[in-house]
Amino acid sequence: MNNKEFLKCMSNDVYVEVGSELYKKFFELSERARKITAKINNKYQPPAKLRKIFSQLTEKKIDKSFRIFPPFYTDCGINICIGKNVFINAGCKFQDQGGIYIGDNVLIGHGVTIATLNHDFNIDKRASMYAKGVRISSDVWIASNAVILPGITIGKGAIVGAGAVVTKDVPPKAIVVGNPAKIIKYIEK
């Protein structure tokens, strides 16, 4: 399975059975991502060099407006799509096998975790996984240490408060906080 076939397969919600070709591809891509993120995390890189390395990681062109403060962690890399004027702060963890789609003008705070995988609840199949993509619309701010769970869409202009655990879709311009995250108000403009 090549990377293009992997991305096509992962473009829909998918079940990944232990030992399958897709499952094995997860581990191949994880090793690749660890090698590339080591370049991001283990020594100072100027912003232009960080963008170049991030482009290598995602296998996509990254806009010159993109900024990232290392360290950054991912266990796949090629299923991250990033818009323009995106900022990712230090210590973020992206589990992107299921796909992470980030719109324009997005701010992602320190230590944010975005997950796209859940394990099977059946004890005999626990190592198998369900993959569901995460979509972050434009103009979103995700504050420090928030956790975004698989399959979530965060609407345009929304704010996810610090430490929130997002278990349900967030409507546009909503502000959510807590565990599980709940809407506390909407942004008026």
Side-chain angles (χ1 to χ4, degrees):
M1 175 178 285
N2 64 36
N3 291 354
K4 189 174 182 179
E5 292 167 332
F6 171 82
L7 289 173
K8 184 176 180 185
C9 183
M10 298 307 290
S11 66
N12 299 312
D13 296 348
V14 65
Y15 182 72
V16 183
E17 192 167 350
V18 169
S20 67
E21 183 180 0
L22 189 54
Y23 187 86
K24 291 173 186 172
K25 185 69 173 176
F26 275 24
F27 290 98
E28 174 190 320
L29 290 171
S30 291
E31 286 303 302
R32 176 188 172 279
R34 285 187 334 113
K35 288 176 188 173
I36 296 171
T37 56
K39 294 177 190 177
I40 293 170
N41 297 334
N42 291 329
K43 74 174 196 174
Y44 172 79
Q45 303 284 1
K49 179 73 172 177
L50 283 172
R51 282 191 298 275
K52 184 177 180 183
I53 297 169
F54 213 83
S55 288
Q56 179 187 5
L57 176 67
T58 63
E59 294 187 344
K60 297 167 190 76
K61 184 177 181 347
I62 299 296
D63 190 78
K64 65 182 180 180
S65 62
F66 172 75
R67 295 174 298 133
I68 186 169
F69 285 179
F72 174 80
Y73 306 96
T74 185
D75 51 4
C76 181
I78 67 168
N79 213 359
I80 300 171
C81 299
I82 295 188
K84 295 179 181 176
N85 199 34
V86 169
F87 174 65
I88 300 172
N89 216 327
C92 291
K93 299 171 223 62
F94 286 15
Q95 181 193 56
D96 65 292
Q97 288 92 333
I100 296 174
Y101 310 94
I102 301 170
D104 297 336
N105 308 310
V106 172
L107 302 173
I108 300 177
H110 288 92
V112 168
T113 297
I114 302 174
T116 65
L117 299 175
N118 271 327
H119 287 277
D120 197 317
F121 286 3
N122 181 325
I123 293 170
D124 296 330
K125 296 180 179 184
R126 184 68 43 90
S128 295
M129 295 169 267
Y130 295 93
K132 291 184 177 186
V134 169
R135 287 174 168 60
I136 301 168
S137 302
S138 294
D139 304 313
V140 167
W141 169 27
I142 302 173
S144 296
N145 296 309
V147 177
I148 314 299
L149 295 182
I152 299 299
T153 295
I154 300 176
K156 182 175 173 54
I159 297 173
V160 176
V165 178
V166 182
T167 62
K168 295 179 181 175
D169 290 350
V170 177
K173 296 185 180 179
I175 300 174
V176 299
V177 299
N179 179 5
K182 295 193 180 337
I183 298 169
I184 59 167
K185 69 180 193 176
Y186 285 87
I187 299 167
E188 295 178 26
K189 187 172 180 183

